[in-house]
Amino acid sequence: MGNLNQESVMSVTVTRFVRSLDSVALLDAYGDTAGVQAVNLPVRFGRPFDPAASGVGARFHEAFQRFNRGEPIQREFLPYARALHEWLRLAGARRMWTEWSYGGEESRWRGTVDVSVAGGPRPSGIVEIKLQGRDPEDGFCEDWAQLGCYCRLAAEAGRPIDRQWAALAYILPRRRQVRVLVQNDVWRLVAPLARLEAA
């Protein structure tokens, strides 16, 4: 037991870390959305489905993973997965990996990103997919914090922060829309983390 790496024992998931943060501190850290570009993707022929239904988020993430591999997916998810996938390609994504894990023994956190991208507005990107019943407009602070954590983990894995871009992709089935919020200045997501960790 004496050989256990102390860091690996103390490593927590990104989700757990973000959920532990004070909402006022999150708003202070991520309330300013300067530099965020919003792209609204209409979804034709999309059937509305309940984004809050039990397990629907996990099923959508699995469906996007299968769609990325060229496999068939559930009919209700297809237009949303296609819209996001096509937008990523048009934004310059050359390759996409879904459910990509970051964080090891040396990391403060560990977690699995929804989509890790080669190419786009910068050489590499991270995209988090969120299913929502309400329009996030500028994104939810906890989602930006989560994305910042993943960008920092990607930097620890050798993807320099100044060569990354990041996006939140909100699937809005009641509006038949995918709302993508893009942040090309990833430092704006990563820098507040030191303050939040110290709080």
Side-chain angles (χ1 to χ4, degrees), residues 27-118:
L27 184 59
D28 182 50
Y30 292 101
D32 177 9
T33 56
V36 172
Q37 299 168 336
V39 180
N40 294 314
L41 309 172
V43 175
R44 291 188 194 167
F45 314 114
R47 296 181 185 176
F49 59 90
D50 183 2
S54 178
V56 76
R59 288 198 315 272
F60 184 86
H61 283 81
E62 290 167 12
F64 189 82
Q65 190 171 20
R66 288 195 313 274
F67 185 87
N68 191 48
R69 292 192 304 251
E71 300 171 8
I73 66 171
Q74 299 94 316
R75 178 178 270 163
E76 67 268 23
F77 296 152
L78 179 60
Y80 300 93
R82 180 182 291 133
L84 178 57
H85 198 271
E86 286 177 0
W87 179 83
L88 286 165
R89 288 284 184 214
L90 289 171
R94 295 183 311 281
R95 289 202 63 196
M96 290 177 252
W97 299 269
T98 54
E99 302 302 311
W100 191 265
S101 293
Y102 283 107
E105 292 181 0
E106 304 295 318
S107 298
R108 164 82 167 88
W109 312 298
R110 64 186 183 283
T112 303
V113 303
D114 294 334
V115 188
S116 185
V117 178

Side-chain angles (χ1 to χ4, degrees), residues 22-33 141 188 192 195-196:
D22 176 71
S23 60
V24 174
L26 272 170
L27 184 59
D28 182 50
Y30 292 101
D32 177 9
T33 56
C141 294
R188 294 185 68 89
R195 231 172 35 242
L196 291 170

Side-chain angles (χ1 to χ4, degrees), residues 143-198:
D143 297 340
W144 288 119
Q146 181 184 20
L147 201 52
C149 292
Y150 288 137
C151 291
R152 191 164 103 179
L153 286 171
E156 290 173 8
R159 299 168 80 178
I161 288 172
D162 61 352
R163 295 176 57 80
Q164 292 183 50
W165 63 279
L168 295 170
Y170 289 101
I171 309 301
L172 304 166
R174 291 183 181 141
R175 297 185 65 176
R176 290 191 171 110
Q177 184 182 81
V178 177
R179 183 171 175 79
V180 185
L181 302 175
V182 181
Q183 177 58 271
N184 289 318
D185 184 1
V186 172
W187 281 110
R188 294 185 68 89
L189 303 178
V190 175
L193 294 173
R195 231 172 35 242
L196 291 170
E197 284 179 288

